[in-house]
Amino acid sequence: MAKAVHKITLDRSEDIPFDKLELSQQNVRNIKAGVSIEDLADDIARRKLLQSLSVRPILGENEEETGRFHVPAGGRRYRALELLVSQKRMAKTEPVPCIVKRGEETSAEDDSLAENVHRVDLHPLDQYRAFQTLREQGLGEEEIAARFFVSVATVRQRLRLASVSPRLLDLYAEDEMKLEQIMAFSITNDHVRQEQVWDMLSRHHTRDPYYVRRLLTETTIRAGDRRAVYVSVKAYEAAGGVVMRDLFDEDNGGWLQDPALLEQLGIEKLRADAEALKTEEGWKWVESAFDFPYGHTSGLRRFYGELREFTEEELARHDALKAEYDELDADYADAESYCEEIERRLEELGNELDQLNDRPFVFDPDEVARGGAFISLAANGELKVERGFVRPEDEPQVKTEGDDPGDADGDIGKAADASSSAAGISVNGKPVSDDQPEEEDDTLRPLSDRLVIDLTATRTVALRNALASDPVIAFVAVLHAFVLKIFYLYGSETCLELTLQSAKFSQTQGLGDTLWAKEIDQRQEAWGQDLPKKPEELWDYLVALDDGSRQALFAHCASLSVNVVIEPWNKRTRAIANAKQVARSIGFDMVTAGWVPTFDNYLGRVTKAHILQAVGEAKGEQSAQLIDHLKKQDMAREAERLLDGRGWLPEPLRIIGTETGSEDVSPAADEAGDDPALEVNVGDLPAFPADAADLSDPHQEAHDDDGYSHLDAAE
């Protein structure tokens, strides 16, 4: 016999006069959030109540209903109705639809919590479709925003989803895409291009929004781009790619018009090279990317190999060449005249010795089994391989006396965020800042937060490099930090502890290619090769080190803790003031360090007003007037030429000396005599900017529009 199913009964709805209701103290919502009570009251006045209140009868001494009710669920609606009554916009006896709950199956607190927890926010796609319907009904963006208490920008963002392919929107509705990805695709209205990019990305794991934008906004790529060199134009054309060529001028190989295809070919080739390296050398993992952010190895332990020993044949050859070189060089030093033949022979011997000394490094097999490598592309398109990194989770677990079984021996730092596939190989895209072009007008706007971060990140690396060359000031800088910690802030909970932090600058493109970053990396590599392989041998090594080498090592480590990056949420006023003290003490400024304003690092990323301001400060207003009629890209390139050698710096890089004008740090200040305004004679100025005659030709101007866009395709 079938078991009878218990049928539920729902609580009945009643219209209860508002003055018979009172707010329950058992309502769990105590923190204000979401739409304000005032806005909710206005919404109720416009569209009336959309959801009933949940109430319970108030009982008297004999457990009899008193005719009054308290509201444990719906407190915000109750307060909004109360506000309407106090404003005389609603009668206090107005019937309010209520769900009356009698019985003790659940408590008032339980009902209040369930009402708030079980609520699900509207899906952004549903919100977009609703906004779209309202707009089709004649409502404007401002009115929609006012009705639903959101910003106009939010309405516009949701409506912008209309530019995304319906196919991709369906994938988003099925949770196969994220909102950030959909927003990235909305940057273009080309549905075919959107679907092409998604189909390419769906075959790989890299689907970050910045990568989507990068593929959608790229137009063409130079044949000299490192990705094109790596893949080869021949392979690109064999895969169906089109190369645009200039038949009337030197084009350096032309421009590749299908960035997505080149990206796909590059990713596939990188994966194959990573697989080959992993298989041939036995690494546990190999991570590859066209470019890694500066500091990508932070948090990973580095181990170094040793040069492969000479074979007997190589050693004999090396000794013979070295003996001949030394003998010939000694004899030639005493010669009275130049001999081309001897010079050529010395060069040949030197090259052969270099080839013999340039032997591969041999790594400990045990370390290789737990370690990995990074493969990326150098600026010339050749593979760049960084070997010998161990992630914290791959460190050997060593149990010591008093340790728990799960404790690892030593503090190996914080793990870097590194993605990998199941096979131990991953391919990542290069981070690209999402600088948005500013609207052009004559107003001198503040520099963008992204540009300030990039400029001050560049200054940080340059100052690190400068501080590393001055061990005395490096000691003073660290001692200054010690005294602040010991005497002015909080004491340490351990007997002695110093935390050395090194900030990352993952969004600043090209930072790893600067002279300062390369010198830092060279020092890091050189010390890594010299230091003992086992950490327990480090103390004796440092004790035995001579004072000069010990100070140089200290300065190198101290310099990596420098951070003078200015971020929108962290102006770091006191740290920047201290950075100026450090910079003055070592005689550092960005001009002498070698920074110059270029199209890529500054001029192409600011408004025309900023460009004219820079030229005016460095060369005078007459120079600025000569280029103020040019288009943005032409103006930026001409300004790069005019500012070359002038020693001008944007405000975020003026770290020492008087910072109110660039003339204080410019060599041109001396040429101007006593005039602080840096007077420029008309005769010293070019009659027209470079190639101005060409720019005046309307046919040439149209060509330049295309030319610059091709030449400036993002790498």
Side-chain angles (χ1 to χ4, degrees), residues 476-516:
V476 173
V478 176
L479 180 60
H480 175 258
F482 283 174
V483 174
L484 286 178
K485 182 173 182 179
I486 298 298
F487 291 94
Y488 296 93
L489 199 55
Y490 302 104
S492 175
E493 295 181 356
T494 61
C495 63
L496 178 64
E497 183 179 78
L498 173 64
T499 300
L500 182 68
Q501 297 180 339
S502 186
K504 301 180 183 178
F505 318 109
S506 60
Q507 296 299 319
T508 303
Q509 296 185 61
L511 192 55
D513 296 327
T514 62
L515 174 64
W516 318 301

Side-chain angles (χ1 to χ4, degrees), residues 611-612 615-616 619-631 634-635 638-639 641-642 680-693 695:
I611 298 174
L612 295 174
V615 174
K619 295 276 289 183
E621 291 302 322
Q622 296 181 49
S623 291
Q625 292 172 6
L626 286 175
I627 65 173
D628 62 2
H629 66 286
L630 298 178
K631 293 183 178 180
D634 299 337
M635 179 186 291
E638 187 60 25
R641 184 184 69 83
L642 292 173
V680 179
N681 296 324
V682 176
D684 296 335
L685 297 174
F688 295 97
D691 302 323
L695 292 174

Side-chain angles (χ1 to χ4, degrees), residues 573-628:
T573 306
R574 295 183 179 179
I576 299 304
N578 177 240
K580 295 177 181 178
Q581 295 173 332
V582 174
R584 291 191 188 100
S585 298
I586 59 179
F588 167 84
D589 68 75
M590 290 299 291
V591 174
T592 56
W595 190 90
V596 293
T598 65
F599 181 93
D600 293 326
N601 68 15
Y602 182 79
L603 298 169
R605 302 174 60 184
V606 295
T607 63
K608 295 173 69 173
H610 282 109
I611 298 174
L612 295 174
Q613 179 194 40
V615 174
E617 290 180 354
K619 295 276 289 183
E621 291 302 322
Q622 296 181 49
S623 291
Q625 292 172 6
L626 286 175
I627 65 173
D628 62 2

Side-chain angles (χ1 to χ4, degrees), residues 6 131 137 222 250 278 286 300 319 336 340 365 376-377 389 424 449 549 553:
H6 176 68
F131 286 170
Q137 292 174 356
R222 301 180 189 181
E250 179 65 31
K278 180 174 180 289
V286 175
L300 305 183
D319 292 344
E336 297 180 356
E340 183 178 352
S376 58
L377 297 184
F389 297 92
D449 292 337
S549 298
L553 177 57

Side-chain angles (χ1 to χ4, degrees), residues 26-29 51 54 56 72-74 77 101 106-120:
Q26 296 169 307
N27 191 301
V28 299
R29 184 190 289 274
Q51 185 177 358
S54 177
R56 289 172 178 253
R77 277 163 282 151
K101 184 161 188 176
T106 57
S107 66
E109 292 86 353
D110 194 351
D111 291 350
S112 177
L113 182 62
E115 182 192 50
N116 290 282
V117 171
H118 293 170
R119 181 180 305 165
V120 178

Side-chain angles (χ1 to χ4, degrees), residues 446-463:
L447 299 181
S448 68
D449 292 337
R450 178 71 263 163
L451 179 56
V452 172
I453 291 175
D454 288 350
L455 289 174
T456 51
T458 303
R459 177 181 64 188
T460 298
V461 175
L463 183 53

